[in-house]
Amino acid sequence: SDLQKQAERGELLQPLVFASLVLCSVLLYLRVSLMDPGFVKPEEELEVFHLSNRSKRMVTHEVPNAVRMRRCGYCMVKQPMRAKHCQQCQHCVRRYDHHCPWIENCVGEKNHPLFIAYLSVQLIVLLWGGHIAWSGLYFDQSWDWVKRYFLLLTSFLLIVVFTIVALLLLISQLYLISCNTTTWEFMSHHRISYLRHSELENPFDQGVILNLWRFFC
């Protein structure tokens, strides 16, 4: 591959950058999967009350009083607005987006920005890795060619599949963030009381620029 040729010639800049990106993606993966995504703890009920009030001030249109606060039927803590109980993690998660089986953790208020960073770095690694694998393939219509390049060709095809998945996931996540909604809210709009009783389809939307600013900054 091109990367191997550069390493053999002593041109180590690109191999080191690629290795650094791979290491960065692994570290981000571990960080996102092991960190607290925003669990609501029983001893934080006063904090939850203030967080819920802050969420209500951020909505464009006030939701009815009857649906502003609720107590979780599983862990019995008072949920701030936009929180949801995760059956896999057995916790309520603030600004719950989804439970990701790939990281075996919820994506919520605390780790959502890092999850986007992880997806972005991983997509760069996959695109670069696909280019590296493709550069090492020399096509020839013979059985010896298939045996020689089988692993490299399989790797390239797997990279293509994972690249498509990562790209679609990143695009959908950025779209939802720009609308200031979550995957859970987008998929279950008709089941969520504070959305179902609101006159607006998305009472949290404050415009693309402000939505992105509030999420990332």
Side-chain angles (χ1 to χ4, degrees), residues 42-122:
E43 63 271 15
E44 297 175 347
E45 290 211 356
L46 182 61
E47 182 185 351
V48 165
F49 176 76
H50 292 305
L51 284 169
S52 182
N53 283 337
R54 186 178 67 181
S55 295
K56 284 180 279 186
R57 288 195 299 268
M58 289 171 61
V59 298
T60 307
H61 180 78
E62 289 289 326
V63 294
N65 288 327
V67 297
R68 286 181 184 171
M69 291 283 287
R70 67 183 296 270
R71 190 174 288 276
C72 177
Y74 296 97
C75 52
M76 301 308 294
V77 298
K78 281 190 177 180
Q79 292 179 334
M81 191 180 289
R82 312 189 78 179
K84 182 185 179 296
H85 184 86
C86 175
Q87 296 284 5
Q88 287 87 353
C89 295
Q90 293 298 307
H91 282 286
C92 288
V93 181
R94 295 190 186 98
R95 202 183 182 279
Y96 176 87
D97 189 84
H98 69 286
H99 182 89
C100 180
W102 179 250
I103 63 173
E104 194 53 41
N105 195 11
C106 284
V107 176
E109 183 178 77
K110 290 186 177 180
N111 67 347
H112 202 168
L114 274 179
F115 180 72
I116 298 300
Y118 162 68
L119 279 179
S120 302
V121 174
Q122 189 65 65

Side-chain angles (χ1 to χ4, degrees), residues 58 82 95 175-182 185 202 204-207 211 214:
M58 289 171 61
R82 312 189 78 179
R95 202 183 182 279
Y175 169 75
L176 293 175
I177 291 167
S178 69
C179 298
N180 197 0
T181 189
T182 64
E185 290 171 340
N202 180 14
F204 301 102
D205 188 8
Q206 296 181 306
N211 290 339
R214 286 188 179 276

Side-chain angles (χ1 to χ4, degrees), residues 2-17:
D2 291 343
L3 209 62
Q4 182 181 1
K5 292 176 182 176
Q6 289 175 4
E8 290 173 351
R9 292 196 302 265
E11 300 172 1
L12 300 179
L13 179 59
Q14 288 194 32
L16 288 175
V17 172

Side-chain angles (χ1 to χ4, degrees), residues 119-168:
L119 279 179
S120 302
V121 174
Q122 189 65 65
L123 182 59
I124 294 171
V125 170
L126 286 167
L127 289 170
W128 198 350
H131 171 73
I132 292 169
W134 181 260
S135 70
L137 292 172
Y138 299 94
F139 294 98
D140 185 17
Q141 295 180 349
S142 67
W143 178 246
D144 289 337
W145 179 90
V146 175
K147 290 192 294 183
R148 182 177 180 184
Y149 291 104
F150 176 77
L151 288 177
L152 190 58
L153 183 60
T154 304
S155 299
F156 175 76
L157 294 176
L158 285 174
I159 288 172
V160 170
V161 172
F162 286 128
T163 299
I164 294 172
V165 172
L167 179 62
L168 292 177

